[in-house]
Amino acid sequence: MKSNHGFLKHWELIQQFDLLDAAMLMAGIEPSTKNKQSELNGRVEVYERAIAEAIQRANEYAWHHARQIDMLMLDSKINEDALNSLRGVSEIWEISGQYDQFLPTLEIRQSVVRVNEDPENVPILLPIDPWYTATVYGNDFNEWIQRIGIESEFFFKHTQAILVTTRSDNWDSEQSRLEAEKRSEAAIPLESANAFAEKIGISDMPLSTRERNTLLSIIAVLSKEAKIDYSRPAKAASLIKDLTIQLGLNVGESTIEGHLKRIPDALEARMK
């Protein structure tokens, strides 16, 4: 959802954001105040960690995909069907149960394309260090924000790039020290963004896929009871928008419609 705040207009012209600026915009905070409003940056640090973890998951899954091809190539005649199936996947993260949490990067996309097109000469995915090299384009970033349920104040344009650089460059010295200590430990757990949010008292974290599906299922039940046909999201969104106004709320019609469109998938997931 594009913000109506005038102070964000300048940022629509920027072609590249570092991780901190992107996280601040997601949280609705003016990036130029990042050194003046430290009390607001708790949410931003949570978003930074969530972005980095999503890229880490995508990178790990890309490696898994490449290794599958690598192993099947050992006897490509016997495994021809399986190989063709893997090579035919244009977006490898879509075949994973954790797809909603992935944030694909330009580097991962390029490496996976090379592996799929010529697995004999590129038998394994090129190594990528997500802390230093990851670049994410605006359209992928927006899709990821929507998938995991973040209501961002800012819409990133297709041409804008989010640069995920060394996290220690973006966090304060104490956080950098803690991160350095963890480098010798096991990989950061996938729940660490949520755990970090709880630690610093942040409650408005993105919903998990299961939580979102549960809420959408409840909305479906209530819509049916209110005789609102959510299978026609545009019309239903207009009706619900009027109801929110009656309660003194201001929820965008397009936002409502976007959530309603997710109901069928949520119901299918809950019924499995």
Side-chain angles (χ1 to χ4, degrees):
M1 177 178 176
K2 182 178 287 190
S3 172
N4 292 322
H5 301 313
F7 61 71
L8 291 180
K9 290 295 182 182
H10 163 73
W11 297 94
E12 295 179 8
L13 304 176
I14 304 300
Q15 292 303 305
Q16 293 185 332
F17 299 95
D18 63 25
L19 179 57
L20 178 58
D21 285 349
M24 294 192 79
L25 287 167
M26 286 168 60
I29 300 172
E30 163 62 41
S32 66
T33 66
K34 56 190 172 188
N35 295 323
K36 303 175 184 177
Q37 299 184 9
S38 58
E39 71 278 5
L40 296 177
N41 290 349
R43 283 177 64 194
V44 173
E45 291 187 11
V46 171
Y47 286 139
E48 283 187 71
R49 186 167 296 204
I51 294 168
E53 287 172 355
I55 290 174
Q56 183 181 16
R57 282 188 287 266
N59 190 50
E60 290 170 352
Y61 193 70
W63 268 86
H64 174 69
H65 172 82
R67 286 299 295 168
Q68 283 184 296
I69 291 182
D70 197 27
M71 295 300 294
L72 291 170
M73 285 298 298
L74 294 175
D75 201 335
S76 57
K77 291 183 179 178
I78 293 178
N79 301 315
E80 184 176 0
D81 290 343
L83 271 170
N84 289 336
S85 176
L86 285 178
R87 292 178 194 171
V89 175
S90 59
E91 298 289 352
I92 62 168
W93 18 86
E94 290 184 9
I95 63 175
S96 165
Q98 293 181 308
Y99 166 61
D100 282 359
Q101 302 178 61
F102 288 168
L103 180 56
T105 71
L106 175 64
E107 294 83 1
I108 293 174
R109 287 186 186 278
Q110 291 175 339
S111 289
V112 170
V113 166
R114 302 223 286 271
V115 170
N116 284 344
E117 287 181 348
D118 191 3
E120 293 187 28
N121 294 320
V122 190
I124 191 166
L125 191 70
L126 298 178
I128 295 174
D129 183 344
W131 309 130
Y132 295 91
T133 63
T135 304
V136 180
Y137 282 122
N139 56 331
D140 290 324
F141 199 65
N142 289 326
E143 289 175 7
W144 175 73
I145 287 173
Q146 293 171 5
R147 286 201 306 268
I148 66 172
I150 293 177
E151 294 293 337
S152 177
E153 293 265 339
F154 189 84
F155 183 83
F156 294 87
K157 295 187 296 184
H158 174 83
T159 54
Q160 288 172 329
I162 314 302
L163 305 179
V164 183
T165 55
T166 310
R167 293 197 296 174
S168 60
D169 288 345
N170 295 324
W171 294 10
D172 60 33
S173 57
E174 175 63 15
Q175 184 62 50
S176 298
R177 184 185 65 78
L178 293 174
E179 286 297 305
E181 291 177 356
K182 290 181 179 178
R183 288 188 187 119
S184 60
E185 300 176 3
I188 299 172
L190 303 186
E191 304 81 22
S192 60
N194 289 284
F196 183 67
E198 292 176 4
K199 180 179 178 181
I200 62 177
I202 301 296
S203 60
D204 53 345
M205 269 295 293
L207 294 174
S208 68
T209 300
R210 182 175 178 81
E211 289 173 324
R212 185 172 67 252
N213 288 344
T214 298
L215 290 175
L216 289 172
S217 299
I218 294 172
I219 291 172
V221 172
L222 295 176
S223 296
K224 185 176 180 181
E225 185 67 20
K227 296 181 171 54
I228 296 176
D229 186 3
Y230 62 79
S231 65
R232 301 175 65 185
K235 183 176 180 181
S238 178
L239 294 172
I240 295 173
K241 168 71 175 177
D242 292 339
L243 294 173
T244 63
I245 292 175
Q246 293 176 25
L247 286 176
L249 303 174
N250 183 20
V251 183
E253 192 169 318
S254 61
T255 298
I256 297 171
E257 183 178 350
H259 289 304
L260 294 177
K261 287 179 178 178
R262 298 175 186 158
I263 287 179
D265 289 339
L267 293 175
E268 182 181 354
R270 291 291 296 171
M271 291 176 181
K272 289 181 179 178

